[in-house]
Amino acid sequence: MSSAENKDTTERGLSEWERAALKQRVAEKKKEARRGRGADKAAADARDVRDKIASMPESDRVLAERVHALVTTAAPDLAPKLWYGQPAYARKGKVVCYFRSGRMDKERYSTFGFSEQAALDDDSGLWPTAFALTELSEDAEKRLRALVEQAVS
């Protein structure tokens, strides 16, 4: 979102994009409530995430597929689910980490981030909460894997 769009948001309330994201989240919550619990819900949530990734523009789709594979192997106890219309990974229903498509969000890069549920806190008082992703090099993948493993420790 550009600084002009941010200014409009603060002066007039939520932007059109923010309203759409909130509507998407409300729809997700309703769908979650209808699905109940258990293996069927988990399978449906995972299918929703795969479908969302498949619908992304190619460059973001490639990133999202690699991130999805990385998270599901590094932290198999995290369950894929949609969160504000984008792929996320949760423990006991609470999102630990997420991927946001830059192109779908009309941003210049995609993002991989962590929620407050992630165990990344340290004594320095400074730890990562989100990263811009333009590509996932071997080194970046190793760093991200280590962070995901730490987040669920």
Side-chain angles (χ1 to χ4, degrees):
M1 187 179 308
S2 71
S3 60
E5 289 172 316
N6 281 335
K7 184 177 181 195
D8 288 346
T9 298
T10 58
E11 290 177 6
R12 296 192 318 240
L14 297 176
S15 70
E16 185 177 322
W17 177 85
E18 290 165 324
R19 282 191 299 278
L22 285 174
K23 285 180 183 178
Q24 178 68 40
R25 184 65 186 134
V26 168
E28 290 164 6
K29 295 294 278 181
K30 287 179 180 177
K31 187 186 274 189
E32 286 175 15
R34 284 192 306 270
R35 285 185 175 161
R37 295 188 173 155
D40 290 341
K41 178 193 178 312
D45 286 347
R47 188 173 44 254
D48 288 348
V49 168
R50 286 191 308 272
D51 290 348
K52 175 54 79 173
I53 291 170
S55 75
M56 291 178 181
E58 184 178 356
S59 59
D60 286 352
R61 181 177 38 76
V62 169
L63 273 176
E65 287 170 345
R66 289 189 61 200
V67 165
H68 181 75
L70 183 151
V71 173
T72 56
T73 58
D77 60 322
L78 293 181
K81 66 182 276 177
L82 290 180
W83 192 53
Y84 293 94
Q86 297 285 334
Y89 305 87
R91 179 187 291 150
K92 297 181 183 174
K94 297 190 182 241
V95 170
V96 174
C97 55
Y98 59 88
F99 177 85
R100 297 219 41 101
S101 166
R103 297 248 169 117
M104 293 180 89
D105 284 349
K106 296 181 174 49
E107 295 285 343
R108 73 177 222 212
Y109 49 78
S110 294
T111 307
F112 184 80
F114 297 93
S115 76
E116 62 186 30
Q117 302 299 316
L120 296 175
D121 309 33
D122 65 26
D123 294 334
S124 73
L126 177 72
W127 56 84
T129 59
F131 295 90
L133 290 177
T134 55
E135 64 179 272
L136 202 53
S137 68
E138 198 172 308
D139 186 48
E141 190 169 328
K142 285 179 190 175
R143 288 179 56 205
L144 196 56
R145 179 179 300 279
L147 285 167
V148 168
E149 289 170 350
Q150 180 183 347
V152 297
S153 64

